[in-house]
Amino acid sequence: MQETYFSIPKHISFKTQKNNFPPFIMLTSPHSQCSISLYGGQVLSFIPKNHPDILWLSEKAFYQEGKAIRGGIPLCFPWFASEGSPAHGFARIMTWEVIDSGIDNKENPYIKLKLEANEHTKYFWDFKFSAELLVKVSQKLEINFSITNEDEKSFSFTEALHSYFQISSIENITLRGLEDCSYIDSLDNNISKVEENAIVINAEIDRIYQDNENTCIIIDKKFNRKITISKVNSHSTVVWNPWIHKSSTMKDMQKDAYKHMFCVESANVGEKKVLLKSGETHTLQLSIEVSSP
Ligand code: TA6
């Protein structure tokens, strides 16, 4: 039983869910709390002391096999968006297993989850792979998403840590870090554009900064905080807010949800796809930290 073997009193516990849905893992550090769904290998919340949750999770999220949980940090693999089917790949709609857990010398917990190729994944993508997710919490949330090619033949994939950030309200925020960077506008015939200024949101936005390794900062005037999103081995950034109309078409988003969420995704998409030879491993690293603006 994973629970008994990987639990650590005061730091790592398992929370059973109704209707036989896979359990959530609860991580507690001296500075923060975090919850992770074994279904999808999905971080659902990250709550530093004295802060509202850094991540947004829909009150109408589905918790059922075959559907993605709306919010937190969905894992998009082995493809991003409609580069394959199902959209954003299968990693976020499969149940992962715990393979390791522990605490560091400052009582900061970590957990490691794994998803391996099986008959179900083979149906969608005929390659042998193993995916590992390492989540560690302290004052910050650190995630390593590793893919290993366990096949004899090479393969390529695209990926994203599709982070939904919780914001006080959409009109209060500014996104810094992408000024003067070129992006593909998914809402305007995938035309390449450049935004000179820091991003403010006053309409639907869906941008793929395909070749971009910059650290991004969400500044929230009302919550009086800035969220710093830094990454390693992620050569693309995706920015998304569905705004009013798009979110009204989504059954798992409540009416005004668009005002309180903003996606800044750490990715490798399009021409930045990752090519792995047999036996090679690629690790995308993400660090999320909150501070005063
Ligand atoms: O965030 C980029 C994006 O591809 C958007 O176009 C939108 O589709 C979003 O992902 C959510 O996708 P999902 O399949 O989770 O509804």
Side-chain angles (χ1 to χ4, degrees), residues 21 24 37 39-40 42-45 53 55-64 66-76 80-81 87-88 92-93 162-166 206 240-243 246-255 257-258 260-263 265:
F21 194 74
F24 293 176
S37 165
Y39 175 77
Q42 192 161 331
V43 176
L44 300 179
S45 70
D53 201 331
L55 300 176
W56 175 86
L57 183 64
S58 175
E59 292 163 11
K60 294 180 73 177
F62 298 120
Y63 295 96
Q64 60 188 83
K67 288 185 184 284
I69 300 170
R70 178 75 60 193
I73 305 180
L75 301 174
C76 303
F80 177 75
H88 288 317
R92 65 176 186 169
I93 55 173
H162 193 298
S163 307
Y164 286 75
F165 292 97
Q166 177 171 236
D206 195 346
W240 178 60
N241 182 282
W243 205 245
K246 176 70 69 67
S247 57
S248 71
T249 68
M250 297 158 71
K251 292 191 176 67
D252 54 359
M253 280 188 80
Q254 62 270 44
K255 188 164 171 298
Y258 74 95
H260 303 292
M261 51 71 66
F262 185 37
C263 287
E265 303 156 37

Short mmCIF file of all heavy atoms in Angstrom, two decimals, residues 21 24 37 39-40 42-45 53 55-64 66-76 80-81 87-88 92-93 162-166 206 240-243 246-255 257-258 260-263 265:
data_model
loop_
_atom_site.label_atom_id
_atom_site.label_comp_id
_atom_site.label_asym_id
_atom_site.label_seq_id
_atom_site.Cartn_x
_atom_site.Cartn_y
_atom_site.Cartn_z
N PHE A 21 -11.99 7.46 -6.50
CA PHE A 21 -11.04 8.30 -7.24
C PHE A 21 -9.69 8.20 -6.54
O PHE A 21 -9.64 8.10 -5.30
CB PHE A 21 -11.54 9.75 -7.26
CG PHE A 21 -10.82 10.63 -8.26
CD1 PHE A 21 -11.07 10.52 -9.62
CD2 PHE A 21 -9.89 11.57 -7.82
CE1 PHE A 21 -10.40 11.33 -10.53
CE2 PHE A 21 -9.22 12.37 -8.73
CZ PHE A 21 -9.48 12.25 -10.09
N PHE A 24 -5.33 11.97 -3.00
CA PHE A 24 -4.47 13.16 -3.10
C PHE A 24 -3.33 12.96 -2.10
O PHE A 24 -3.50 12.30 -1.07
CB PHE A 24 -5.23 14.42 -2.72
CG PHE A 24 -6.34 14.83 -3.67
CD1 PHE A 24 -7.13 15.93 -3.37
CD2 PHE A 24 -6.59 14.13 -4.84
CE1 PHE A 24 -8.17 16.31 -4.24
CE2 PHE A 24 -7.61 14.51 -5.70
CZ PHE A 24 -8.39 15.59 -5.40
N SER A 37 -2.75 15.42 -6.94
CA SER A 37 -3.64 14.31 -7.29
C SER A 37 -2.81 13.20 -7.95
O SER A 37 -2.05 13.47 -8.89
CB SER A 37 -4.72 14.80 -8.27
OG SER A 37 -5.36 13.69 -8.87
N TYR A 39 -4.12 10.95 -9.66
CA TYR A 39 -4.72 10.95 -11.00
C TYR A 39 -4.20 12.18 -11.75
O TYR A 39 -4.36 13.31 -11.30
CB TYR A 39 -6.25 11.00 -10.92
CG TYR A 39 -6.93 11.11 -12.27
CD1 TYR A 39 -7.05 10.00 -13.11
CD2 TYR A 39 -7.43 12.34 -12.72
CE1 TYR A 39 -7.67 10.10 -14.34
CE2 TYR A 39 -8.03 12.45 -13.96
CZ TYR A 39 -8.16 11.34 -14.77
OH TYR A 39 -8.77 11.44 -16.01
N GLY A 40 -3.48 11.92 -12.80
CA GLY A 40 -2.91 13.02 -13.59
C GLY A 40 -1.55 13.46 -13.10
O GLY A 40 -0.87 14.26 -13.76
N GLN A 42 -0.99 15.50 -10.79
CA GLN A 42 -1.26 16.93 -10.93
C GLN A 42 -1.21 17.67 -9.59
O GLN A 42 -1.98 17.37 -8.68
CB GLN A 42 -2.64 17.12 -11.57
CG GLN A 42 -2.96 18.51 -12.03
CD GLN A 42 -4.10 18.49 -13.04
OE1 GLN A 42 -4.30 17.53 -13.78
NE2 GLN A 42 -4.87 19.56 -13.07
N VAL A 43 -0.26 18.61 -9.50
CA VAL A 43 -0.26 19.51 -8.34
C VAL A 43 -1.56 20.30 -8.39
O VAL A 43 -1.91 20.86 -9.44
CB VAL A 43 0.96 20.46 -8.38
CG1 VAL A 43 0.91 21.47 -7.23
CG2 VAL A 43 2.26 19.65 -8.31
N LEU A 44 -2.29 20.32 -7.28
CA LEU A 44 -3.59 21.02 -7.27
C LEU A 44 -3.52 22.34 -6.49
O LEU A 44 -4.28 23.27 -6.79
CB LEU A 44 -4.66 20.12 -6.64
CG LEU A 44 -4.93 18.79 -7.34
CD1 LEU A 44 -6.01 18.02 -6.57
CD2 LEU A 44 -5.35 18.99 -8.80
N SER A 45 -2.64 22.39 -5.49
CA SER A 45 -2.57 23.63 -4.70
C SER A 45 -1.16 23.80 -4.14
O SER A 45 -0.43 22.83 -3.95
CB SER A 45 -3.59 23.58 -3.56
OG SER A 45 -3.15 22.63 -2.59
N ASP A 53 -3.82 30.60 -1.82
CA ASP A 53 -3.25 29.59 -2.73
C ASP A 53 -2.64 30.28 -3.96
O ASP A 53 -3.25 31.18 -4.55
CB ASP A 53 -4.39 28.63 -3.15
CG ASP A 53 -3.84 27.31 -3.64
OD1 ASP A 53 -2.71 27.28 -4.17
OD2 ASP A 53 -4.56 26.29 -3.47
N LEU A 55 -2.03 28.67 -6.65
CA LEU A 55 -2.63 28.01 -7.81
C LEU A 55 -4.16 28.11 -7.74
O LEU A 55 -4.74 28.12 -6.66
CB LEU A 55 -2.20 26.54 -7.87
CG LEU A 55 -0.68 26.32 -7.98
CD1 LEU A 55 -0.35 24.83 -7.93
CD2 LEU A 55 -0.11 26.96 -9.25
N TRP A 56 -4.77 28.17 -8.93
CA TRP A 56 -6.23 28.22 -9.03
C TRP A 56 -6.75 26.84 -9.37
O TRP A 56 -6.16 26.13 -10.18
CB TRP A 56 -6.61 29.22 -10.14
CG TRP A 56 -8.08 29.27 -10.43
CD1 TRP A 56 -9.03 30.04 -9.80
CD2 TRP A 56 -8.79 28.52 -11.43
NE1 TRP A 56 -10.28 29.82 -10.34
CE2 TRP A 56 -10.15 28.89 -11.35
CE3 TRP A 56 -8.40 27.58 -12.38
CZ2 TRP A 56 -11.12 28.34 -12.19
CZ3 TRP A 56 -9.37 27.04 -13.23
CH2 TRP A 56 -10.71 27.42 -13.11
N LEU A 57 -7.84 26.44 -8.73
CA LEU A 57 -8.46 25.14 -8.99
C LEU A 57 -9.97 25.37 -9.12
O LEU A 57 -10.57 25.98 -8.24
CB LEU A 57 -8.18 24.17 -7.84
CG LEU A 57 -8.70 22.73 -7.98
CD1 LEU A 57 -8.02 22.02 -9.15
CD2 LEU A 57 -8.44 21.96 -6.67
N SER A 58 -10.52 24.93 -10.23
CA SER A 58 -11.94 25.21 -10.49
C SER A 58 -12.84 24.55 -9.45
O SER A 58 -12.67 23.37 -9.11
CB SER A 58 -12.34 24.71 -11.89
OG SER A 58 -13.73 24.89 -12.07
N GLU A 59 -13.84 25.30 -8.98
CA GLU A 59 -14.84 24.72 -8.06
C GLU A 59 -15.71 23.70 -8.80
O GLU A 59 -16.41 22.92 -8.19
CB GLU A 59 -15.72 25.84 -7.50
CG GLU A 59 -14.98 26.78 -6.56
CD GLU A 59 -15.75 28.09 -6.35
OE1 GLU A 59 -16.94 28.16 -6.76
OE2 GLU A 59 -15.16 29.04 -5.79
N LYS A 60 -15.65 23.75 -10.14
CA LYS A 60 -16.48 22.82 -10.92
C LYS A 60 -15.63 21.78 -11.65
O LYS A 60 -16.06 21.18 -12.63
CB LYS A 60 -17.32 23.62 -11.94
CG LYS A 60 -18.35 24.54 -11.29
CD LYS A 60 -19.14 25.31 -12.34
CE LYS A 60 -20.14 24.44 -13.09
NZ LYS A 60 -20.94 25.24 -14.06
N ALA A 61 -14.41 21.62 -11.16
CA ALA A 61 -13.50 20.65 -11.81
C ALA A 61 -14.13 19.26 -11.79
O ALA A 61 -14.85 18.89 -10.85
CB ALA A 61 -12.16 20.62 -11.09
N PHE A 62 -13.84 18.49 -12.86
CA PHE A 62 -14.26 17.09 -12.90
C PHE A 62 -13.20 16.26 -12.16
O PHE A 62 -12.00 16.50 -12.32
CB PHE A 62 -14.33 16.59 -14.35
CG PHE A 62 -15.33 17.32 -15.22
CD1 PHE A 62 -14.91 17.99 -16.35
CD2 PHE A 62 -16.67 17.34 -14.88
CE1 PHE A 62 -15.81 18.68 -17.16
CE2 PHE A 62 -17.59 18.02 -15.67
CZ PHE A 62 -17.16 18.70 -16.82
N TYR A 63 -13.68 15.29 -11.38
CA TYR A 63 -12.77 14.32 -10.77
C TYR A 63 -13.25 12.95 -11.22
O TYR A 63 -13.85 12.20 -10.47
CB TYR A 63 -12.78 14.47 -9.24
CG TYR A 63 -12.23 15.81 -8.80
CD1 TYR A 63 -13.06 16.87 -8.53
CD2 TYR A 63 -10.84 16.01 -8.72
CE1 TYR A 63 -12.56 18.11 -8.16
CE2 TYR A 63 -10.32 17.25 -8.34
CZ TYR A 63 -11.19 18.30 -8.07
OH TYR A 63 -10.70 19.52 -7.73
N GLN A 64 -13.02 12.69 -12.52
CA GLN A 64 -13.46 11.40 -13.07
C GLN A 64 -12.51 10.95 -14.16
O GLN A 64 -11.98 11.78 -14.93
CB GLN A 64 -14.91 11.48 -13.57
CG GLN A 64 -15.14 12.49 -14.68
CD GLN A 64 -16.62 12.66 -15.01
OE1 GLN A 64 -17.30 13.41 -14.33
NE2 GLN A 64 -17.09 11.99 -16.04
N GLY A 66 -10.64 9.85 -17.30
CA GLY A 66 -10.84 10.23 -18.69
C GLY A 66 -11.00 11.71 -18.90
O GLY A 66 -10.93 12.20 -20.03
N LYS A 67 -11.21 12.44 -17.79
CA LYS A 67 -11.31 13.91 -17.92
C LYS A 67 -10.17 14.56 -17.15
O LYS A 67 -9.74 14.06 -16.10
CB LYS A 67 -12.65 14.39 -17.34
CG LYS A 67 -13.87 14.03 -18.19
CD LYS A 67 -15.11 14.65 -17.58
CE LYS A 67 -16.36 14.23 -18.33
NZ LYS A 67 -16.50 14.96 -19.62
N ALA A 68 -9.68 15.71 -17.67
CA ALA A 68 -8.60 16.44 -16.98
C ALA A 68 -9.20 17.27 -15.84
O ALA A 68 -10.33 17.74 -15.94
CB ALA A 68 -7.88 17.34 -17.97
N ILE A 69 -8.43 17.41 -14.77
CA ILE A 69 -8.85 18.26 -13.65
C ILE A 69 -8.51 19.70 -14.05
O ILE A 69 -7.37 19.99 -14.42
CB ILE A 69 -8.09 17.88 -12.36
CG1 ILE A 69 -8.37 16.42 -11.98
CG2 ILE A 69 -8.48 18.82 -11.22
CD1 ILE A 69 -7.47 15.90 -10.85
N ARG A 70 -9.48 20.58 -13.99
CA ARG A 70 -9.31 21.98 -14.39
C ARG A 70 -8.65 22.80 -13.28
O ARG A 70 -9.29 23.15 -12.26
CB ARG A 70 -10.66 22.61 -14.74
CG ARG A 70 -10.59 24.07 -15.13
CD ARG A 70 -10.04 24.31 -16.50
NE ARG A 70 -10.84 23.65 -17.53
CZ ARG A 70 -10.44 23.49 -18.78
NH1 ARG A 70 -9.25 23.92 -19.15
NH2 ARG A 70 -11.20 22.87 -19.65
N GLY A 71 -7.36 23.06 -13.46
CA GLY A 71 -6.67 23.90 -12.49
C GLY A 71 -5.37 23.27 -12.01
O GLY A 71 -4.94 22.22 -12.51
N GLY A 72 -4.73 23.90 -11.05
CA GLY A 72 -3.45 23.39 -10.56
C GLY A 72 -2.42 23.42 -11.68
O GLY A 72 -2.33 24.40 -12.44
N ILE A 73 -1.65 22.31 -11.80
CA ILE A 73 -0.62 22.26 -12.86
C ILE A 73 -0.79 20.97 -13.66
O ILE A 73 -0.10 19.96 -13.41
CB ILE A 73 0.80 22.35 -12.26
CG1 ILE A 73 0.94 23.62 -11.39
CG2 ILE A 73 1.84 22.38 -13.39
CD1 ILE A 73 2.31 23.81 -10.76
N PRO A 74 -1.69 20.95 -14.63
CA PRO A 74 -1.84 19.76 -15.48
C PRO A 74 -0.54 19.47 -16.25
O PRO A 74 0.17 20.39 -16.65
CB PRO A 74 -2.97 20.13 -16.44
CG PRO A 74 -3.70 21.25 -15.74
CD PRO A 74 -2.66 22.00 -14.97
N LEU A 75 -0.25 18.19 -16.43
CA LEU A 75 0.95 17.76 -17.17
C LEU A 75 0.56 17.47 -18.62
O LEU A 75 -0.22 16.55 -18.88
CB LEU A 75 1.55 16.50 -16.55
CG LEU A 75 1.96 16.60 -15.07
CD1 LEU A 75 2.40 15.23 -14.56
CD2 LEU A 75 3.08 17.62 -14.90
N CYS A 76 1.06 18.29 -19.53
CA CYS A 76 0.76 18.05 -20.94
C CYS A 76 1.92 17.22 -21.51
O CYS A 76 3.04 17.71 -21.60
CB CYS A 76 0.63 19.37 -21.71
SG CYS A 76 -0.63 20.46 -21.00
N PHE A 80 1.47 18.80 -26.84
CA PHE A 80 0.80 19.99 -26.33
C PHE A 80 -0.42 20.27 -27.19
O PHE A 80 -0.37 20.11 -28.42
CB PHE A 80 1.76 21.20 -26.39
CG PHE A 80 1.13 22.48 -25.95
CD1 PHE A 80 0.90 22.72 -24.61
CD2 PHE A 80 0.74 23.43 -26.88
CE1 PHE A 80 0.31 23.90 -24.20
CE2 PHE A 80 0.14 24.60 -26.48
CZ PHE A 80 -0.07 24.84 -25.13
N ALA A 81 -1.52 20.67 -26.52
CA ALA A 81 -2.75 21.08 -27.22
C ALA A 81 -3.16 20.03 -28.25
O ALA A 81 -3.16 18.84 -27.98
CB ALA A 81 -2.55 22.47 -27.83
N ALA A 87 -6.38 15.94 -26.49
CA ALA A 87 -5.73 17.26 -26.37
C ALA A 87 -4.82 17.27 -25.15
O ALA A 87 -5.15 16.74 -24.09
CB ALA A 87 -6.79 18.35 -26.23
N HIS A 88 -3.60 17.82 -25.32
CA HIS A 88 -2.60 17.92 -24.27
C HIS A 88 -2.07 16.56 -23.82
O HIS A 88 -1.41 16.45 -22.78
CB HIS A 88 -3.14 18.69 -23.05
CG HIS A 88 -3.29 20.15 -23.30
ND1 HIS A 88 -2.33 20.91 -23.95
CD2 HIS A 88 -4.28 21.02 -22.97
CE1 HIS A 88 -2.75 22.17 -24.02
NE2 HIS A 88 -3.92 22.26 -23.44
N ARG A 92 -2.06 13.60 -18.17
CA ARG A 92 -2.93 14.25 -17.17
C ARG A 92 -4.23 13.50 -16.93
O ARG A 92 -5.04 13.90 -16.10
CB ARG A 92 -3.21 15.69 -17.59
CG ARG A 92 -4.02 15.82 -18.87
CD ARG A 92 -4.35 17.28 -19.19
NE ARG A 92 -5.25 17.35 -20.35
CZ ARG A 92 -5.88 18.46 -20.73
NH1 ARG A 92 -5.70 19.59 -20.03
NH2 ARG A 92 -6.68 18.45 -21.77
N ILE A 93 -4.48 12.43 -17.72
CA ILE A 93 -5.72 11.65 -17.51
C ILE A 93 -5.39 10.19 -17.18
O ILE A 93 -6.19 9.29 -17.43
CB ILE A 93 -6.66 11.73 -18.73
CG1 ILE A 93 -5.96 11.32 -20.02
CG2 ILE A 93 -7.25 13.14 -18.84
CD1 ILE A 93 -6.90 11.23 -21.23
N HIS A 162 1.20 23.08 -17.32
CA HIS A 162 0.15 24.02 -17.70
C HIS A 162 -0.42 24.74 -16.45
O HIS A 162 -1.58 24.55 -16.09
CB HIS A 162 -0.95 23.21 -18.41
CG HIS A 162 -1.98 24.00 -19.15
ND1 HIS A 162 -2.81 24.92 -18.56
CD2 HIS A 162 -2.34 23.99 -20.46
CE1 HIS A 162 -3.62 25.44 -19.46
NE2 HIS A 162 -3.35 24.91 -20.62
N SER A 163 0.40 25.56 -15.84
CA SER A 163 0.10 26.14 -14.53
C SER A 163 -1.03 27.16 -14.57
O SER A 163 -0.97 28.14 -15.33
CB SER A 163 1.36 26.80 -13.98
OG SER A 163 2.45 25.88 -13.98
N TYR A 164 -2.04 26.93 -13.71
CA TYR A 164 -3.14 27.89 -13.51
C TYR A 164 -2.83 28.67 -12.23
O TYR A 164 -2.86 28.10 -11.13
CB TYR A 164 -4.46 27.16 -13.30
CG TYR A 164 -5.09 26.53 -14.53
CD1 TYR A 164 -4.60 25.35 -15.07
CD2 TYR A 164 -6.22 27.11 -15.10
CE1 TYR A 164 -5.21 24.78 -16.18
CE2 TYR A 164 -6.84 26.53 -16.21
CZ TYR A 164 -6.33 25.37 -16.75
OH TYR A 164 -6.94 24.79 -17.84
N PHE A 165 -2.57 29.95 -12.34
CA PHE A 165 -2.27 30.77 -11.17
C PHE A 165 -3.54 31.47 -10.67
O PHE A 165 -4.36 31.92 -11.49
CB PHE A 165 -1.17 31.79 -11.49
CG PHE A 165 0.16 31.13 -11.74
CD1 PHE A 165 0.59 30.87 -13.03
CD2 PHE A 165 0.96 30.71 -10.68
CE1 PHE A 165 1.79 30.21 -13.27
CE2 PHE A 165 2.17 30.07 -10.90
CZ PHE A 165 2.59 29.80 -12.20
N GLN A 166 -3.67 31.52 -9.33
CA GLN A 166 -4.81 32.23 -8.75
C GLN A 166 -4.46 33.71 -8.61
O GLN A 166 -3.40 34.06 -8.09
CB GLN A 166 -5.17 31.66 -7.37
CG GLN A 166 -6.32 32.42 -6.73
CD GLN A 166 -6.85 31.77 -5.48
OE1 GLN A 166 -8.03 31.48 -5.41
NE2 GLN A 166 -6.01 31.51 -4.51
N ASP A 206 -4.28 33.99 -25.86
CA ASP A 206 -3.77 32.63 -26.02
C ASP A 206 -2.52 32.72 -26.89
O ASP A 206 -2.58 32.76 -28.11
CB ASP A 206 -4.82 31.74 -26.70
CG ASP A 206 -4.47 30.26 -26.56
OD1 ASP A 206 -3.31 29.96 -26.19
OD2 ASP A 206 -5.35 29.41 -26.82
N TRP A 240 -2.32 32.12 -21.26
CA TRP A 240 -3.72 31.89 -21.64
C TRP A 240 -4.69 32.40 -20.58
O TRP A 240 -4.49 32.20 -19.37
CB TRP A 240 -3.99 30.40 -21.85
CG TRP A 240 -5.40 30.06 -22.20
CD1 TRP A 240 -6.11 30.50 -23.29
CD2 TRP A 240 -6.30 29.20 -21.46
NE1 TRP A 240 -7.39 29.97 -23.27
CE2 TRP A 240 -7.53 29.17 -22.17
CE3 TRP A 240 -6.18 28.44 -20.30
CZ2 TRP A 240 -8.62 28.42 -21.74
CZ3 TRP A 240 -7.27 27.70 -19.85
CH2 TRP A 240 -8.46 27.69 -20.58
N ASN A 241 -5.71 33.11 -21.04
CA ASN A 241 -6.90 33.37 -20.23
C ASN A 241 -8.09 33.28 -21.18
O ASN A 241 -8.11 33.92 -22.22
CB ASN A 241 -6.85 34.75 -19.56
CG ASN A 241 -8.08 34.97 -18.70
OD1 ASN A 241 -9.16 35.26 -19.22
ND2 ASN A 241 -7.94 34.81 -17.39
N PRO A 242 -9.12 32.47 -20.83
CA PRO A 242 -10.23 32.24 -21.76
C PRO A 242 -11.22 33.41 -21.87
O PRO A 242 -12.02 33.42 -22.82
CB PRO A 242 -10.93 31.01 -21.18
CG PRO A 242 -10.61 31.06 -19.71
CD PRO A 242 -9.26 31.69 -19.60
N TRP A 243 -11.14 34.36 -20.89
CA TRP A 243 -12.05 35.49 -20.85
C TRP A 243 -13.52 35.00 -20.76
O TRP A 243 -13.77 33.82 -20.46
CB TRP A 243 -11.80 36.43 -22.03
CG TRP A 243 -12.23 37.84 -21.77
CD1 TRP A 243 -13.21 38.51 -22.41
CD2 TRP A 243 -11.72 38.75 -20.79
NE1 TRP A 243 -13.34 39.78 -21.91
CE2 TRP A 243 -12.43 39.96 -20.91
CE3 TRP A 243 -10.71 38.66 -19.82
CZ2 TRP A 243 -12.19 41.07 -20.11
CZ3 TRP A 243 -10.45 39.75 -19.02
CH2 TRP A 243 -11.20 40.95 -19.17
N LYS A 246 -15.28 32.24 -23.91
CA LYS A 246 -14.66 30.89 -23.93
C LYS A 246 -14.96 30.17 -22.61
O LYS A 246 -15.35 29.01 -22.60
CB LYS A 246 -13.16 31.01 -24.19
CG LYS A 246 -12.36 29.72 -24.15
CD LYS A 246 -12.62 28.76 -25.30
CE LYS A 246 -12.12 29.22 -26.63
NZ LYS A 246 -10.65 29.30 -26.78
N SER A 247 -14.82 30.91 -21.48
CA SER A 247 -15.04 30.19 -20.21
C SER A 247 -16.51 29.84 -20.03
O SER A 247 -16.85 28.83 -19.40
CB SER A 247 -14.51 30.98 -19.01
OG SER A 247 -15.07 32.24 -18.93
N SER A 248 -17.43 30.61 -20.67
CA SER A 248 -18.86 30.26 -20.55
C SER A 248 -19.17 28.96 -21.30
O SER A 248 -20.19 28.31 -21.04
CB SER A 248 -19.72 31.40 -21.12
OG SER A 248 -19.59 31.44 -22.54
N THR A 249 -18.26 28.56 -22.21
CA THR A 249 -18.50 27.30 -22.96
C THR A 249 -17.88 26.10 -22.24
O THR A 249 -18.01 24.96 -22.70
CB THR A 249 -17.86 27.38 -24.37
OG1 THR A 249 -16.43 27.42 -24.22
CG2 THR A 249 -18.33 28.61 -25.13
N MET A 250 -17.21 26.36 -21.13
CA MET A 250 -16.49 25.26 -20.44
C MET A 250 -17.27 24.82 -19.21
O MET A 250 -17.46 25.60 -18.27
CB MET A 250 -15.07 25.74 -20.07
CG MET A 250 -14.23 26.07 -21.31
SD MET A 250 -12.86 27.18 -20.96
CE MET A 250 -11.82 26.06 -20.04
N LYS A 251 -17.73 23.54 -19.22
CA LYS A 251 -18.60 23.04 -18.14
C LYS A 251 -17.88 23.02 -16.79
O LYS A 251 -18.50 23.03 -15.73
CB LYS A 251 -19.09 21.63 -18.45
CG LYS A 251 -20.07 21.54 -19.64
CD LYS A 251 -20.72 20.15 -19.71
CE LYS A 251 -21.76 20.04 -20.80
NZ LYS A 251 -21.12 20.15 -22.14
N ASP A 252 -16.55 22.98 -16.82
CA ASP A 252 -15.81 22.86 -15.54
C ASP A 252 -15.21 24.20 -15.10
O ASP A 252 -14.23 24.24 -14.37
CB ASP A 252 -14.71 21.80 -15.67
CG ASP A 252 -13.78 22.04 -16.86
OD1 ASP A 252 -14.01 23.03 -17.60
OD2 ASP A 252 -12.84 21.26 -17.04
N MET A 253 -15.84 25.29 -15.57
CA MET A 253 -15.44 26.62 -15.07
C MET A 253 -16.67 27.39 -14.66
O MET A 253 -17.61 27.54 -15.44
CB MET A 253 -14.67 27.40 -16.14
CG MET A 253 -13.22 26.96 -16.25
SD MET A 253 -12.26 28.01 -17.34
CE MET A 253 -11.91 29.41 -16.30
N GLN A 254 -16.69 27.88 -13.42
CA GLN A 254 -17.86 28.66 -13.00
C GLN A 254 -17.85 30.01 -13.71
O GLN A 254 -16.86 30.42 -14.30
CB GLN A 254 -17.90 28.82 -11.48
CG GLN A 254 -16.74 29.55 -10.85
CD GLN A 254 -15.60 28.61 -10.44
OE1 GLN A 254 -15.21 27.71 -11.19
NE2 GLN A 254 -15.06 28.87 -9.28
N LYS A 255 -18.97 30.71 -13.65
CA LYS A 255 -19.25 31.85 -14.53
C LYS A 255 -18.12 32.87 -14.55
O LYS A 255 -17.62 33.22 -15.60
CB LYS A 255 -20.57 32.50 -14.08
CG LYS A 255 -21.10 33.58 -15.03
CD LYS A 255 -22.58 33.88 -14.72
CE LYS A 255 -23.07 35.10 -15.50
NZ LYS A 255 -22.31 36.35 -15.13
N ALA A 257 -15.07 32.67 -13.45
CA ALA A 257 -13.78 32.07 -13.09
C ALA A 257 -12.62 32.73 -13.84
O ALA A 257 -11.51 32.85 -13.32
CB ALA A 257 -13.80 30.57 -13.41
N TYR A 258 -12.90 33.22 -15.06
CA TYR A 258 -11.80 33.79 -15.86
C TYR A 258 -11.13 34.96 -15.14
O TYR A 258 -10.00 35.33 -15.39
CB TYR A 258 -12.32 34.24 -17.23
CG TYR A 258 -13.14 35.50 -17.17
CD1 TYR A 258 -12.56 36.74 -17.41
CD2 TYR A 258 -14.49 35.48 -16.82
CE1 TYR A 258 -13.30 37.92 -17.31
CE2 TYR A 258 -15.23 36.63 -16.72
CZ TYR A 258 -14.63 37.85 -16.96
OH TYR A 258 -15.37 39.01 -16.84
N HIS A 260 -10.27 35.09 -12.10
CA HIS A 260 -9.42 34.70 -10.96
C HIS A 260 -8.34 33.69 -11.32
O HIS A 260 -7.69 33.15 -10.42
CB HIS A 260 -10.33 34.17 -9.84
CG HIS A 260 -11.37 35.17 -9.43
ND1 HIS A 260 -11.06 36.34 -8.78
CD2 HIS A 260 -12.72 35.19 -9.64
CE1 HIS A 260 -12.17 37.04 -8.58
NE2 HIS A 260 -13.20 36.38 -9.10
N MET A 261 -8.18 33.46 -12.62
CA MET A 261 -7.13 32.52 -13.02
C MET A 261 -6.34 33.09 -14.19
O MET A 261 -6.86 33.91 -14.96
CB MET A 261 -7.71 31.16 -13.41
CG MET A 261 -8.86 31.13 -14.40
SD MET A 261 -8.50 31.54 -16.13
CE MET A 261 -7.46 30.18 -16.60
N PHE A 262 -5.10 32.64 -14.29
CA PHE A 262 -4.25 33.10 -15.40
C PHE A 262 -3.20 32.02 -15.62
O PHE A 262 -2.53 31.63 -14.66
CB PHE A 262 -3.59 34.43 -15.03
CG PHE A 262 -2.78 35.06 -16.14
CD1 PHE A 262 -3.18 34.98 -17.47
CD2 PHE A 262 -1.62 35.74 -15.85
CE1 PHE A 262 -2.44 35.57 -18.49
CE2 PHE A 262 -0.87 36.34 -16.86
CZ PHE A 262 -1.29 36.24 -18.17
N CYS A 263 -3.13 31.50 -16.86
CA CYS A 263 -2.16 30.42 -17.13
C CYS A 263 -0.87 30.98 -17.69
O CYS A 263 -0.88 31.72 -18.68
CB CYS A 263 -2.74 29.43 -18.12
SG CYS A 263 -4.02 28.38 -17.39
N GLU A 265 2.46 29.00 -18.76
CA GLU A 265 2.83 27.59 -18.88
C GLU A 265 4.29 27.43 -19.31
O GLU A 265 4.74 28.10 -20.25
CB GLU A 265 1.90 26.93 -19.89
CG GLU A 265 0.43 27.08 -19.52
CD GLU A 265 -0.50 26.97 -20.71
OE1 GLU A 265 -0.21 26.15 -21.61
OE2 GLU A 265 -1.50 27.71 -20.76
#
